């Protein structure tokens, strides 16, 4: 059973102990990164295991290995020796492990650690990615059966992640630690049940950024979002494929909460990717059963699919792939979810007689327009780029306009329902109000598909005018719920339509 370790990188032991208190109940081990400490703290190093009160690892990482230790090897040896000195009969008062690099072979240190029952983790960090001959390196790391080999690789691309998995799959079942750092290695931190890593490393992260750019997560995220301790090798795997932004996606929380509520042995993980081919190979090797697809791959995945739903065909984009006997089947749950949440918002069965305007003509607008057409709305498309407005409108027999006087005319006659689909006003998108040229009368129903922030400037104006307003949370949850049903064949355990008034 793998153990969860909290890596402590404070400047003082006191700071490290405070950090440990935040997560104590969630971790099995603490790693004291002595290279991060103020050198004056070295004097008290030996007291750390007792102060920590849980098994501890002593690590003194050199700069060349991605650490901060700037002194020479002699001083480093002294630090390790300090860690071992005054060994107690009560092993809980000693360091449980010393993490020593592959090339730092000091027989006296090895002998002493063996005598005092402190295990050596024999480690190698590869900042430049998977080495040419990982097998040779591994043979060297695992030379001594009393030591635990550890290979940490900075995964720089999806393809490298795939090769690392291939390598890990060939390792014997003996104790070892393997982990990929960087965003492309994120999945290795969740799938230790698959990689066989004995220890999983976590760290303190900011609440606003629970997964940092190194792909590191906090013990809390590991537990509460991914239910890491429960994951077994035979769990069904699902995920989200996209650019680096998928590390901040809300979908893992949504799906994993659903699996937990229904007691399903399954986990959902973000896969930031730079190559569809490499992801496809990795998905096959990992045995993924289904995944969400987001920016920038929604259109690019189409050639990889064996089957496409009618929504995918018309919209030209796929956001959900499900493994079937004949290959991958593609769906567009943005459309299905939008339909569900829109009908819930308006409390109607179809849109006949509801004159509707779509603001924007990008990927989201395509899914929205598909549903409006299907539900019988009389609609128009208004977009900054004329060509895109026309193309989308003509596909469904809608009227269209750029942002000009005609847009105002169109909107004044298509304002039972206004659906805002541009990225304007979204966190990380262009700031502002994409409808600043339009004055709400108060009788419009206004749906902004943005959910971060929960209220956009356009929503605020519409609400102030007395309109019925909702944000994109309901749509996000509904598309996730439809996706969950496609993945598992089971109804999502709850379906709140949040954020509407
Ligand atoms: P998504 O997949 O989220 O819909 P997209 O396909 O990039 O994203 O589409 C973004 C939409 O926001 C488009 O309608 C875009 O207008 P253009 O087609 O003219 O590019 C719109 N958009 C983005 N920035 C905008 C801005 N500053 N003002 C007006 N519209 C903007």
């Amino acid at each position: 059973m793998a153990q969860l370790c909290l890596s402590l990188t404070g400047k003082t032991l006191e700071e490290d102990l405070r950090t440990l208190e935040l997560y104590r109940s969630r971790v099995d081990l603490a790693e004291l990164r002595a290279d991060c400490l103020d050198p004056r703290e070295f004097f008290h190093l030996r007291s750390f295991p007792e102060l920590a009160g849980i098994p501890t690892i002593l690590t003194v990482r050199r700069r060349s290995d991605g650490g901060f230790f700037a002194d020479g090897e002699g001083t480093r040896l002294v630090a390790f020796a300090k860690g071992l000195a005054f060994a107690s009969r009560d092993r809980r008062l000693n360091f449980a492990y010393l993490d020593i690099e592959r090339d730092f072979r000091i027989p006296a240190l090895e002998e002493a650690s063996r005598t005092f029952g402190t295990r050596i983790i024999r480690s190698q960090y590869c900042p430049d990615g998977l080495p040419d001959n990982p097998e040779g390196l591994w043979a060297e790391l695992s030379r001594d059966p009393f030591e635990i080999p550890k290979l940490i690789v900075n995964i720089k691309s999806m393809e490298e992640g795939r090769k690392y998995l291939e390598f890990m799959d060939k390792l014997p079942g003996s104790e070892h630690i393997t982990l990929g750092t960087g965003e492309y290695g994120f999945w290795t931190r969740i799938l230790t049940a698959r990689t066989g890593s004995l220890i999983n490393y976590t760290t303190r992260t900011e609440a606003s950024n629970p997964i940092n750019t190194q792909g590191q997560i906090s013990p809390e995220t590991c537990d509460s979002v991914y239910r890491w301790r429960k994951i077994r090798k035979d769990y069904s795997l699902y995920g989200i494929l996209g650019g680096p932004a998928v590390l901040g996606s809300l979908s893992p929380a949504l799906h994993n909460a659903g699996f937990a509520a229904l007691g399903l042995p399954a986990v959902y993980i973000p896969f930031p990717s730079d190559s569809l081919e490499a992801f496809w190979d990795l998905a096959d090797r990992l045995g993924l059963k289904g995944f969400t697809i987001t920016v920038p791959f929604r259109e690019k995945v189409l050639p990889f699919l064996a089957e496409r739903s009618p929504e995918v065909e018309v919209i030209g984009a796929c956001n959900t792939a499900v493994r079937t006997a004949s290959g991958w089947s593609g769906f567009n749950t943005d459309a299905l979810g939008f339909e569900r949440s829109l009908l819930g918002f308006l409390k109607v069965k179809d849109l006949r007689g509801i004159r509707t305007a779509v603001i924007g003509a990008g990927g989201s607008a395509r899914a929205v327009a598909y549903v409006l057409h299907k539900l019988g709305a009389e609609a128009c498309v208004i977009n900054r780029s004329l060509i895109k407005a026309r193309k989308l409108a003509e596909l469904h027999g809608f009227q269209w306009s750029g942002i000009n006087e005609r847009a105002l005319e169109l909107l004044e006659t298509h304002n039972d329902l206004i659906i805002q689909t541009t990225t304007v006003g979204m966190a990380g998108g262009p700031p502002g109000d994409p409808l600043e040229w339009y004055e709400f009368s108060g009788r419009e129903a206004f749906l902004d598909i943005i959910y971060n922030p929960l209220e956009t400037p356009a929503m605020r104006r519409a609400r102030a005018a007395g309109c019925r307003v909702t944000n994109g949370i309901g749509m996000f949850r509904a598309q996730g719920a439809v996706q969950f049903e496609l993945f598992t064949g089971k109804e999502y355990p709850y379906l709140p339509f949040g954020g509407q008034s």
Side-chain angles (χ1 to χ4, degrees):
M1 183 68 204
Q3 299 197 304
L4 201 60
C5 176
L6 177 66
S7 212
L8 295 166
T9 54
K11 284 198 166 23
T12 64
L13 294 177
E14 207 184 312
E15 185 185 335
D16 283 339
L17 290 168
R18 277 201 305 272
T19 305
L20 177 58
E21 279 327 301
L22 296 176
Y23 301 114
R24 176 181 292 283
S25 63
R26 297 187 187 270
V27 296
D28 310 295
L29 284 169
E31 178 192 41
L32 178 64
R33 282 282 304 275
D35 51 298
C36 300
L37 289 172
D38 182 315
R40 282 170 295 190
E41 294 286 305
F42 275 54
F43 188 68
H44 306 289
L45 210 64
R46 181 62 190 86
S47 60
F48 191 73
E50 184 172 4
L51 294 172
I54 62 171
T56 46
I57 304 172
L58 176 63
T59 302
V60 196
R61 192 74 75 231
R62 290 173 296 209
R63 288 190 178 203
S64 54
D65 296 312
F68 296 95
F69 195 77
D71 257 333
E73 290 297 73
T75 322
R76 214 154 71 94
L77 175 59
V78 171
F80 280 125
K82 271 209 173 98
L84 281 176
F86 310 112
S88 169
R89 274 172 184 277
D90 182 351
R91 288 194 176 169
R92 286 172 308 175
L93 305 185
N94 302 334
F95 279 99
Y97 302 94
L98 295 189
D99 183 310
I100 305 183
E101 290 75 9
R102 175 180 57 99
D103 61 350
F104 198 73
R105 301 262 177 197
I106 309 286
L109 203 62
E110 288 156 20
E111 189 53 41
S113 70
R114 211 167 285 163
T115 310
F116 302 145
T118 293
R119 302 274 313 266
I120 288 180
I121 295 173
R122 185 61 69 181
S123 69
Q124 174 75 51
Y125 172 60
C126 303
D128 301 322
L130 196 65
D132 289 340
N133 178 15
E135 291 81 10
L137 191 59
W138 191 259
E140 223 184 297
L141 290 170
S142 45
R143 207 167 67 189
D144 184 334
F146 294 106
E147 298 183 349
I148 302 168
K150 171 181 171 190
L151 182 66
I152 308 293
V153 180
N154 181 23
I155 304 292
K156 298 195 308 325
S157 66
M158 200 75 208
E159 171 61 9
E160 197 160 54
R162 186 194 65 73
K163 284 190 185 146
Y164 190 38
L165 178 64
E166 219 173 89
F167 164 75
M168 289 188 286
D169 277 348
K170 287 189 219 135
L171 292 180
S174 51
E175 287 179 324
H176 65 264
I177 301 169
T178 45
L179 209 68
T181 63
E183 58 207 14
Y184 298 118
F186 179 76
W187 56 268
T188 65
R189 297 182 184 272
I190 305 301
L191 293 183
T192 47
R194 166 63 194 265
T195 65
S197 185
L198 181 67
I199 296 177
N200 191 9
Y201 292 84
T202 56
T203 189
R204 181 181 186 170
T205 59
E206 300 301 321
S208 58
N209 192 19
I211 304 178
N212 68 23
T213 50
Q214 273 303 295
Q216 292 171 320
I217 47 175
S218 72
E220 201 169 1
T221 306
C222 217
D223 249 8
S224 57
V225 178
Y226 295 99
R227 299 182 303 139
W228 174 80
R229 280 184 199 280
K230 289 205 178 331
I231 302 170
R232 298 289 174 268
K233 206 173 172 176
D234 61 356
Y235 262 39
S236 298
L237 299 185
Y238 300 92
I240 174 164
L241 161 70
V246 290
L247 288 182
S249 162
L250 294 178
S251 292
L254 183 137
H255 286 289
N256 288 325
F259 298 146
L262 296 184
L264 297 176
V267 61
Y268 180 102
I269 304 167
F271 289 94
S273 186
D274 57 348
S275 152
L276 268 182
E277 284 78 10
F279 171 77
W280 233 261
D281 288 349
L282 183 82
D284 274 345
R285 188 165 266 276
L286 283 175
L288 246 69
K289 295 208 164 138
F291 55 93
T292 307
I293 303 131
T294 185
V295 184
F297 297 118
R298 284 200 188 119
E299 287 97 27
K300 295 188 186 124
V301 294
L302 298 185
F304 290 76
L305 301 169
E307 283 169 352
R308 306 170 191 184
S309 71
E311 291 81 21
V312 171
E313 290 292 358
V314 178
I315 298 165
C318 165
N319 82 328
T320 307
V322 179
R323 190 190 287 278
T324 66
S326 53
W328 292 95
S329 265
F331 301 87
N332 192 310
T333 70
D334 281 339
L336 300 168
F338 172 68
E339 178 175 345
R340 218 183 248 194
S341 70
L342 180 67
L343 296 178
F345 172 53
L346 297 177
K347 300 190 176 62
V348 293
K349 295 239 171 329
D350 63 49
L351 297 180
R352 267 173 293 179
I354 299 186
R355 293 169 68 90
T356 304
V358 181
I359 313 302
S364 309
R366 292 212 302 269
V368 165
Y370 169 85
V371 172
L372 296 180
H373 177 84
K374 181 177 154 194
L375 295 177
E378 187 182 319
C380 64
V381 176
I382 296 168
N383 189 50
R384 182 179 60 177
S385 143
L386 291 176
I387 298 257
K388 278 162 74 179
R390 184 173 76 183
K391 203 166 159 205
L392 179 58
E394 285 181 354
L395 184 64
H396 299 292
F398 295 163
Q399 300 188 61
W400 59 274
S401 170
I403 300 172
N404 49 35
E405 268 177 46
R406 170 150 169 81
L408 195 54
E409 281 168 29
L410 273 181
L411 201 49
E412 280 173 351
T413 52
H414 291 77
N415 58 7
D416 296 328
L417 171 65
I418 301 175
I419 302 167
Q420 195 304 107
T421 73
T422 77
T423 48
V424 182
M426 187 166 87
D433 176 346
L435 276 168
E436 61 183 1
W437 43 271
Y438 176 74
E439 202 172 328
F440 289 96
S441 70
R443 57 167 293 281
E444 303 90 341
F446 182 57
L447 191 164
D448 195 324
I449 68 160
I450 291 172
Y451 56 83
N452 182 16
L454 291 172
E455 186 173 75
T456 60
M459 284 174 65
R460 206 168 306 130
R461 252 180 352 101
R463 204 185 293 279
C467 299
R468 205 143 55 102
V469 177
T470 189
N471 61 20
I473 284 276
M475 180 177 169
F476 168 74
R477 288 196 176 136
Q479 70 76 28
V482 176
Q483 201 163 67
F484 188 89
E485 290 161 23
L486 288 168
F487 287 159
T488 65
K490 297 193 163 38
E491 199 173 320
Y492 192 69
Y494 63 91
L495 189 58
F497 291 110
Q500 65 193 47
S501 57

